[in-house]
Amino acid sequence: MKKKYLKFCNYTSQACGAFAVGALILSILVIVELVFERYFFQRAITWQTELVTILLVASTFIGSAYVLSEKAHVSMEWIYDFMSKKNIIKLKIFTSLLSLSFFLILFYFGFLMVEEAFTKNYTTGTIWDPPLWVPYSSMLIGSILMILQYIAEIIKLFDEKDFK
Amino acid sequence: MDPLTIAIIVAVFTLIVLFSGIPIAFGLSFVSITLLVAFEGLQMLDVFAETFYAGLNSFVLLSIPMFILMGMAVAHSPAGKDLYTGLDRWLWRVPGGLVISNIGACSIFAALSGSSPATCAAIGTMGIPEMRKRGYSDEIATGTIAAGGTLGVLIPPSIVLIVYGMATGTSIGRLFLSGIIPGFMLASLFAIWALIHSYFIDKNASKLLRNRKPPTLKEKFEVLPRIFPFLAIIVGVLYVLYGGVATPSEASGVGAFLVFVMIAVVYKIYQPKKIWNIVKISMKESVMIMFIIAASYLFAFTLSQLYVTQSLAQSMIELSSNKWMIFLMVNVFLLVAGFFLPPVAVIVMTSAILLPVITTLGFDPYWFAIVFTINMEIGLITPPVGLNLYIIKGITPDVSLSTILKGSFPFMMMMVLSILILCIFPEIVSWLPDKLMGKPLGY
């Protein structure tokens, strides 16, 4: 069960990474198209900036789980130099729980945002005017992924040899 | 409660949480939520998710991943090596020439990349082993790259200046122009220190240099065609930016695209797997930075909700009647904040406090942006979160952190000196933008 869960989280975080990379590559192409269209054809920009912004937000929220699994979120680990291995793991479990609580709150209020935008048919109110729940849901999905990933990280910390 | 008392509670609480080793982005978010609920009640949670989302929902921020991509793409091609060999072959006669080549390579690379760690990694990977092999001491070899890397955030494009522009509502194009001359001035100051070092302190290196075979003219010229495409991209991006073709975000996207075309044509790097990996590494850095920005927005929102921002700004102005005295304190404050937090976080969190102070005292916000950035550069090469130090430690695991610090200390002094020079001659910052864009409106 535990193994299956860790494997599942590993798989999803890889998928998140792939999504974020894809979103960035797509953004580059859309921007090039935008500049081309305006500079050479003098056409007005309608959907490009908005789409790219949505992609950027999505790649940040969804890519974050991958970045967490790679331990690439910057932190001040200075204090670890003065602690025993066991205490470091204890502290890491504690700070992971703090982060987890943040993402649980973000998940709940993110859900409310998506729900409100969906049921009331909110749109972004621009020329392109996509429904607002689409960009909002990236924060919701991102927080779900972060919750799953943090649970996996905490399981891994409990399993470490130095902790037992 | 008195806002200043709250400010002290906020500062202590934030430091304790961040020192626990929690990722800075999540630590700041956690602190913000806790403070909001503690001081304002549970109903504040209703706006928090929207504030967090709004922190990221901006087209301007797109330039961050794009300029990182530009830098990473060049860093993962042999371009850095060519740039470096080229400068070395042309500067071989100068004592300390190799050190100066490294600084030069860092500043040219900085013009392609908005990120300081990327600059460090790109030039350091070849530069440090080469300098050590040719008899330069570990200190100067690592210190040069640590300091040279910080030029990445001063010489445009610069992520730090983009975030400053966004947080303060100043023109990013103008900020970029403001950074050019101070950036090259700082690079020259670094080079001067390298000269002093090799003439008076590390005499062995210059002796070794005399025994070296000079490069032939053919060698000197054969590297040029491989460097020119990248200089062309720099010029191209500058043209797109200042020729009125596109905004900074659009220019960054086009720049990233051009760099990928360039490495495909010049270095035959077009295999989907390689491209994918370059984007993946850039994505890791940009997601990390973007999350810190969102968290810092939430933190800044919290500070302003608790009335800390306004009262701190007010009491800073009232503290002294001498504007330079206050400026000095602002600098010390930024320096200390830079020790503990990444540059983008410091900017988003403090600009609402500092900008009113600075403009009330009659300083130019563009000039202040450059001073701000140099302060942040110092933070990048000082522990505990000096990103550059860790990158260099990664390149040379056998050199101790204290050696790297010892090597970068004189360069840090050069940065302080450059702030002093900018205080005496503010025209160094404003001359170029005034010349090209006219005097700024407002402020």
Side-chain angles (χ1 to χ4, degrees), chain B residues 16-17 20 33 67 73-74 77 133 141-142 160 165 170 185 212 232 241 278 293 348 363 428:
Chain B
I16 292 174
V17 171
S20 71
I33 293 193
F67 282 133
V74 181
S77 72
K133 202 170 80 192
T142 51
V160 173
T170 41
M185 180 186 85
R212 214 181 126 206
L241 253 178
I278 291 171
I293 290 176
V348 177
F363 290 108
I428 297 174

Side-chain angles (χ1 to χ4, degrees), chain A residues 146-157:
Chain A
M146 286 302 280
I147 291 167
L148 292 176
Q149 193 62 40
Y150 255 117
I151 293 174
E153 296 296 322
I154 293 170
I155 293 175
K156 278 187 224 161
L157 284 169

Side-chain angles (χ1 to χ4, degrees), chain A residues 14 16-22 24-25 27-29 31-32 34-35 38-39 45 48-50 52-54 56-57 59-61 63-64 66-68 70 72-80 91-92 94-99 101-103 105-106 109-110 112-113 116 132 135-139 146 150, chain B residues 15 17-27 29-30 33 42 45-46 48-50 52-53 56-59 61-62 65-66 69 239-240 244-247 249-254 256-257 260 275-276 279-280 282-288 290-292 294 298 339-342 383-385 387 390:
Chain A
Q14 290 297 326
C16 293
F19 173 84
V21 170
L24 277 190
I25 294 177
S27 308
I28 299 181
L29 298 176
I31 287 288
V32 172
L34 180 166
V35 173
R38 194 178 49 206
Y39 193 61
I45 304 308
Q48 291 91 334
T49 47
E50 204 165 0
V52 167
T53 312
I54 293 174
L56 174 72
V57 174
S59 91
T60 305
F61 278 120
S64 183
Y66 169 74
V67 176
L68 177 66
E70 297 272 303
H73 280 293
V74 178
S75 54
M76 265 194 263
E77 295 181 346
W78 204 31
I79 196 168
Y80 294 172
L91 184 62
K92 277 186 179 167
F94 177 69
T95 55
S96 302
L97 286 172
L98 291 188
S99 305
S101 66
F102 166 71
F103 282 104
I105 300 172
L106 188 67
F109 288 95
L112 291 186
M113 273 168 77
E116 193 186 359
L132 198 56
Y136 278 179
S137 57
S138 67
M139 189 163 76
M146 286 302 280
Y150 255 117
Chain B
L15 276 181
V17 171
L18 292 184
F19 266 115
S20 71
I22 192 171
I24 287 172
F26 311 148
S29 318
F30 178 79
I33 293 193
L42 278 170
L45 285 177
D46 290 339
F48 122 83
E50 271 163 67
F52 197 73
Y53 182 86
L56 285 180
N57 191 20
S58 145
F59 182 59
L61 282 179
L62 178 78
M66 292 301 143
L69 267 170
Y239 169 74
V240 169
V245 180
T247 63
S249 307
E250 293 158 9
S252 66
V254 175
F257 181 73
F260 277 108
I275 302 283
W276 189 264
V279 183
K280 203 171 185 175
S282 320
M283 183 271 288
K284 268 202 310 205
E285 195 181 331
S286 88
V287 166
M288 183 265 287
M290 296 281 291
F291 234 97
I292 290 176
L298 188 60
F339 288 164
F340 299 110
L341 289 165
V385 275
L387 281 177
Y390 297 105

Side-chain angles (χ1 to χ4, degrees), chain B residues 35-53:
Chain B
L35 290 171
L36 276 177
V37 173
F39 287 101
E40 309 265 294
L42 278 170
Q43 78 276 6
M44 282 312 288
L45 285 177
D46 290 339
V47 288
F48 122 83
E50 271 163 67
T51 313
F52 197 73
Y53 182 86

